[in-house]
Amino acid sequence: MRHVLLIDGNNIGYASMYVPALSRLAHHGQPTGGVMGLAQSVMRISSLYPGAVPVVLWDGHAAWRKSLCPEYKANRKDTPEKVAVADSWRQQQPLASTLLLHMGVIQMRAVDAEADDLAGRLCLNEAPAAHGIDRVTMISGDTDWWQALSPGVDWFTPITDKPMSLEMLRTAAAKDGPFAGPDEYLLAKAVAGDPSDNIPGVPGVGMATALKLLRLHGGLEGIQQAVDQGHAKDKKSVAIAAMIPAIERNLHIMDWRKAPELRPGNTGVMREDFDAPACQTFCDDLGLHRLSERLAGDASWDCAAQSWALSPTMDFCVAAC
């Protein structure tokens, strides 16, 4: 089976900076905990899915989202601690990318798109099957990625080791669920807003209430009609009806299918063969001696890299560019 792991590089690396032991890791003044955390996560995830090919997706700058919602992700720097963490990870991200290159991991980045947008291009519209990929597992702590769940696409967060599939989304295993499917989940989230990305929703309306009212009235148009005709007089339905333009804006920001097309020449895919000596030298230069020993002295990563179906995976990634 040809199985691809789409790994949200910034999401996993940034989360590593909140692990106490990693947040304090540094060498000659250079923070290194994010490099260590992401590399270890990629190795652990690969061991959980033997034979699956890891592809790390990186964020570019999706300025169009900021244009639609000026406060988008502004909460990432609203305290001195968050600013320090963001700055630390920004210093480490190029180092993490270099190490992954030495480790033989495929990486993909678009100048004007986020990792989410790349995942959308790779997962939606039958893209995996069209390139001979049997299964895609999205690796991220971001539940926005649930919108791409399908029979051949599932999700896993290494932060809490929780999986999600299309079948699970339709059960109580999904937080605030069950949901009829990804579209219903996405619409409810557009109504409720997304605090993690600082996207404001309808005040006082959470996911559960949004879901209840959307189902009761048959979607946003149904809520609007019920309010206009006086059938829905409760405050939350009235609030939703009053904010439909903002909800539609939220949906535009969140829905990967609404993202601008990737511009030719702005997206790149890179990979080099696994190079154990280069990994050892690079890790030693950063004071990451334990990681150096694992990559250079343990044959397990070499065996994993040798098992990857690289050609179809590279074709799959390049086709999305």
Side-chain angles (χ1 to χ4, degrees):
M1 181 175 72
R2 289 174 174 172
H3 185 185
V4 174
L5 307 173
L6 299 182
I7 300 173
D8 189 349
N10 278 315
N11 180 271
I12 305 304
Y14 187 81
S16 298
M17 300 306 300
Y18 283 93
V19 177
L22 293 175
S23 67
R24 296 189 295 268
L25 202 61
H27 186 67
H28 297 315
Q30 167 65 55
T32 56
V35 179
M36 180 80 159
L38 180 58
Q40 286 183 324
S41 288
V42 171
M43 295 172 74
R44 187 174 79 89
I45 293 161
S46 294
S47 71
L48 293 174
Y49 298 96
V53 185
V55 178
V56 172
L57 307 180
W58 293 111
D59 286 333
H61 183 56
W64 65 272
R65 286 193 172 94
K66 197 83 171 175
S67 297
L68 288 172
C69 180
E71 60 267 48
Y72 178 65
K73 291 188 176 179
N75 57 335
R76 304 290 173 90
K77 294 184 178 181
D78 59 5
T79 68
E81 179 192 14
K82 290 181 182 179
V83 170
V85 170
D87 288 346
S88 178
W89 171 242
R90 189 179 300 107
Q91 292 179 49
Q92 296 179 70
Q93 190 275 329
L95 299 173
S97 180
T98 300
L99 178 55
L100 291 174
L101 202 62
H102 294 323
M103 290 170 63
V105 176
I106 298 171
Q107 299 176 72
M108 187 173 179
R109 183 178 184 272
V111 173
D112 52 357
E114 297 182 20
D116 305 50
D117 303 314
L118 297 177
R121 283 294 298 267
L122 291 164
C123 292
L124 298 173
N125 302 322
E126 305 298 325
H131 294 278
I133 304 300
D134 302 302
R135 179 185 174 193
V136 173
T137 299
M138 304 178 291
I139 309 293
S140 177
D142 189 350
T143 59
D144 280 356
W145 290 41
W146 290 3
Q147 65 182 280
L149 294 172
S150 72
V153 178
D154 57 12
W155 175 93
F156 177 81
T157 172
I159 298 170
T160 57
D161 281 0
K162 290 184 178 179
M164 184 55 59
S165 65
L166 184 60
E167 294 75 18
M168 292 173 67
L169 188 71
R170 293 168 175 162
T171 72
K175 186 178 184 295
D176 298 315
F179 299 94
D183 284 345
E184 185 177 64
Y185 168 75
L186 195 59
L187 182 55
K189 192 164 188 178
V191 173
D194 186 349
S196 67
D197 284 342
N198 208 41
I199 301 173
V202 179
V205 178
M207 287 287 286
T209 300
L211 193 60
K212 176 184 175 181
L213 294 175
L214 288 167
R215 288 177 176 174
L216 177 64
H217 298 295
L220 284 181
E221 289 185 7
I223 292 175
Q224 182 73 73
Q225 290 175 3
V227 170
D228 289 345
Q229 295 169 7
H231 301 312
K233 299 180 181 179
D234 62 285
K235 291 181 179 180
K236 292 184 179 179
S237 292
V238 171
I240 291 173
M243 290 191 63
I244 285 180
I247 294 167
E248 291 176 339
R249 178 211 57 181
N250 290 353
L251 199 57
H252 191 171
I253 293 169
M254 296 175 181
D255 190 341
W256 294 348
R257 295 166 297 188
K258 297 180 183 296
E261 287 290 317
L262 300 179
R263 288 188 288 178
N266 279 9
T267 306
V269 180
M270 63 179 181
R271 181 195 172 269
E272 294 181 356
D273 290 337
F274 170 52
D275 187 335
C279 284
Q280 183 174 26
T281 299
F282 191 81
C283 289
D284 286 343
D285 286 345
L286 292 178
L288 301 176
H289 303 300
R290 290 173 59 190
L291 184 59
S292 171
E293 291 171 4
R294 287 186 63 192
L295 287 169
D298 186 343
S300 59
W301 181 253
D302 189 19
C303 291
Q306 293 292 337
S307 72
W308 296 338
L310 290 169
S311 293
T313 306
M314 287 293 289
D315 291 344
F316 172 51
C317 294
V318 170
C321 295

